[in-house]
Amino acid sequence: MAGIIPSPSNFIENIINSDLENNKYGGRVHTRFPPEPNGYLHIGHAKSICLNFGIARKYNGLCNLRFDDTNPSKEDIEYVESIIEDVKWLGFDWEDRLYFASDYFEQLYDYAVQLIQKGKAFVCDLSNEEMREYRGTLTEPGRESPYRDRSVEENLDLFARMRAGEFPDGFRVLRAKIDMGSPNMNMRDPALYRILRATHHRTGDAWCIYPMYDYAHPLSDYLENITHSICTLEFEDHRPLYDWVLETLELEERPLQIEFARLNLSQTLMSKRKLRELVEQGFVDGWDDPRMPTLSGLRRRGYTPESIRDFCDRIGVAKSNSVVDMAQLEHAVREDLNRRAQRFMAVLRPLKVVIESYPQGQVEELDAENNPENPQAGWRKIPFSRELYIEQDDFMESPPKKFFRLSPGREVRLKHAYIIKCEEVIKDDATGEVLELRCSYDPQTRSGADTSGRKVKGTLHWVSAAHALPAEVRLYDHLLKESAPQEIEEDEDLPGRGELKQMLNPRSLEKLTGCQVEAGLKEAVPGQGYQFLRQGYFCLDAAAGDQLVFNRTVPLRDTWAKIHKPGRPG
Ligand code: ATP
Ligand code: MG
């Protein structure tokens, strides 16, 4: 790389810088994001995407998108398509470098033949159970397979016949010949190829043997000229095998595997397999359910790509695992939408207000600021009339001392409008339920033209009853009741249906029908964030068709900002 080496901002960039100083890859930096197409991407993947594409951008290098599709039984084209859409949405571009590990099947086979020829791989006939037994334990060395000393010729013949489909599934495997006494279990003659008759979403039935991840991954990296192969911490113990494959094949300019800590978020799950379980068991409304930590779920919830990228930047890159508080992600989207979201008024639980002193049939167009954070956002007109809606909980008949909203005989300001006073409460005789408020208004107090000099403590949002539009609003809470049970995240076994149900927050979704929103929201478009005054940030639900359905992205209150005032968290 010509010229100046950028200053590093994490340990991975330190490694890259030292490689650049030593001219290790001729100054090249080439990374990849290698998802397995067995589920939708989640926010943890976003961290990996931002890291890999971010490094390529910073170092003027390249980043590939590669599907690690070596396990046909779990994979599907639906996942390939969703992953492509999500990486694009996040704002990254792999240009013409979209690859599939399955495109290398022929080359991977040839390399396996080379390993056999070097006496470094053998066909093993032990059953799965016997293999496990021979493998030893963390405290005891393993035992060598009785098939380990097969001749090169016999191995070549058997491997070719494995490929030709002469043996049933699982009958034989190709194994690396490394060291059954290694303290690292991954080095105890690991399997490289297995027999599996499963239709692959790209290669169809062309193959009945498939390479194992630990074998395919280093070679895929090598074939794509990757320099720095960044992965998560659980692969640290696999690195010796990664290196062994490339060294044994005597390949030059070998990529370097670097591990970093995976992102865990509080009160949600972060494993494709477990998220898939939620979808398949019907606990959520699909992969893009707005409660899901998937990128498609976050998008439908109203998260912006900018806020997710910002979040990933801020949490940084670490070498040991930890759990990040969900409030940090919420903080990022709030900050982004605060700058950009147009303000509206929406009444989620309407209570009718009749301004008795306001002329029947009169409608005034009042001025409302679109976004006080952005003067360029301008102003809009909102209609005011005799019948309005306010929020049910903005009224109390017998309020406690510090209640500055509406109650009998008290005054409040209606945002962008007038000061009103509650004169009478109409109730249902039988139930005592408050049905309607009768109020008066002070014509001298119009916002922007207030000549009264009066001050009131409370300001309420409202809509004009005749002009507002009916809408549904969905409020969300965390997916899980309690903060991430780390063991469950890391446990390879899926939790049972009962266990899942136990973990899920039964109040994660509240649907409010009968909301009344400002008429301007008729023009709302999916993917755009709006602030409903005093209620939070919302977006139009992309799956709701012609109905006006809004998802709350986040409420306004920001606990994270209070803890880490005023600057950056962390
Ligand atoms: P999952 O356990 O959710 O299935 P995975 O690691 O099996 O995740 P892959 O499709 O193999 O999913 O992941 C693609 C890339 O994303 C890998 O490099 C992986 O290390 C990275 N990745 C996956 N989960 C996280 C996470 N929580 N934080 C950071 N990176 C992650
Ligand atoms: Mg996986």
Side-chain angles (χ1 to χ4, degrees), residues 35-36 38 45 213 234-235 262 271-273 492:
E36 184 184 353
N38 61 349
H45 294 111
Y213 173 89
E234 68 272 22
F235 290 103
R262 62 195 295 128
S271 143
K272 272 182 290 183
R273 292 170 61 247
E492 275 296 298

Side-chain angles (χ1 to χ4, degrees), residues 37-317:
N38 61 349
Y40 282 56
L41 297 183
H42 51 60
I43 180 85
H45 294 111
K47 176 168 175 175
S48 175
I49 295 168
C50 291
L51 183 59
N52 280 294
F53 281 93
I55 282 174
R57 188 174 291 170
K58 175 165 175 175
Y59 287 91
N60 208 3
L62 301 171
C63 181
N64 298 356
L65 175 59
R66 179 202 314 144
F67 285 96
D68 191 351
D69 56 349
T70 54
N71 186 6
S73 51
K74 305 258 176 61
E75 297 164 2
D76 197 278
I77 188 76
E78 173 195 352
Y79 302 132
V80 171
E81 285 164 2
S82 76
I83 289 170
I84 287 179
E85 182 185 355
D86 287 348
V87 180
K88 268 192 201 151
W89 176 75
L90 253 195
F92 296 104
D93 185 2
W94 50 89
E95 297 168 325
D96 57 352
R97 294 177 312 280
L98 171 63
Y99 298 119
F100 292 82
S102 56
D103 291 345
Y104 311 137
F105 280 171
E106 197 63 54
Q107 281 153 292
L108 297 178
Y109 181 85
D110 291 344
Y111 281 125
V113 167
Q114 284 185 41
L115 286 177
I116 293 172
Q117 284 164 339
K118 286 173 186 283
K120 296 293 186 182
F122 66 100
V123 173
C124 183
D125 300 0
L126 290 179
S127 68
N128 270 338
E129 202 179 311
E130 288 167 324
M131 278 243 256
R132 245 191 314 277
E133 208 181 294
Y134 273 75
R135 209 164 163 232
T137 64
L138 284 174
T139 50
E140 284 166 52
R143 281 179 295 145
E144 293 186 350
S145 161
Y147 305 98
R148 201 175 197 260
D149 293 321
R150 272 182 167 145
S151 69
V152 168
E153 289 66 35
E154 190 182 0
N155 281 319
L156 286 174
D157 174 61
L158 287 173
F159 189 48
R161 289 165 60 195
M162 278 169 65
R163 175 178 182 171
E166 283 190 31
F167 315 117
D169 285 7
F171 191 69
R172 292 194 154 106
V173 292
L174 182 73
R175 294 176 71 178
K177 199 187 279 188
I178 310 180
D179 178 8
M180 290 308 289
S182 171
N184 184 340
M185 302 284 279
N186 296 305
M187 298 300 271
R188 294 184 188 173
D189 293 4
L192 304 178
Y193 268 90
R194 65 211 160 120
I195 305 175
L196 176 70
R197 282 170 184 79
T199 302
H200 188 281
H201 60 99
R202 284 177 65 86
T203 58
D205 296 317
W207 293 86
C208 65
I209 57 171
Y210 288 96
M212 305 302 285
Y213 173 89
D214 280 337
Y215 171 72
H217 203 81
L219 288 169
S220 304
D221 282 344
Y222 171 78
L223 289 168
E224 291 176 18
N225 297 316
I226 300 304
T227 57
H228 300 86
S229 176
I230 301 167
C231 64
T232 39
L233 229 45
E234 68 272 22
F235 290 103
E236 196 170 11
D237 290 345
H238 297 239
R239 189 180 348 124
L241 179 53
Y242 183 100
D243 292 339
W244 181 91
V245 170
L246 298 175
E247 279 165 21
T248 307
L249 288 165
E250 296 171 79
L251 301 172
E252 299 293 326
E253 281 224 334
R254 294 190 287 272
L256 175 70
Q257 176 179 305
I258 308 171
E259 308 87 16
F260 73 102
R262 62 195 295 128
L263 167 65
N264 295 301
L265 260 191
S266 66
Q267 284 159 301
T268 191
L269 290 169
M270 199 75 83
S271 143
K272 272 182 290 183
R273 292 170 61 247
K274 281 154 202 165
L275 295 173
R276 177 153 79 178
E277 201 61 11
L278 292 181
V279 174
E280 285 175 357
Q281 300 265 353
F283 285 119
V284 293
D285 169 30
W287 283 97
D288 68 344
D289 185 301
R291 289 166 293 183
M292 292 278 270
T294 50
L295 295 181
S296 51
L298 291 166
R299 174 163 67 236
R300 191 168 157 203
R301 174 87 169 252
Y303 274 78
T304 58
E306 291 83 355
S307 65
I308 294 174
R309 294 200 303 260
D310 184 45
F311 167 75
C312 291
D313 265 6
R314 288 180 186 209
I315 55 176
V317 182

Side-chain angles (χ1 to χ4, degrees), residues 1-2 85 94 126 198 208 290 386 408 418 432 438 447 460 509 535:
M1 182 159 129
E85 182 185 355
W94 50 89
L126 290 179
C208 65
R386 194 166 186 269
Y418 298 96
R438 299 293 168 123
S447 288
L460 308 185
L509 169 60
Q535 304 284 8

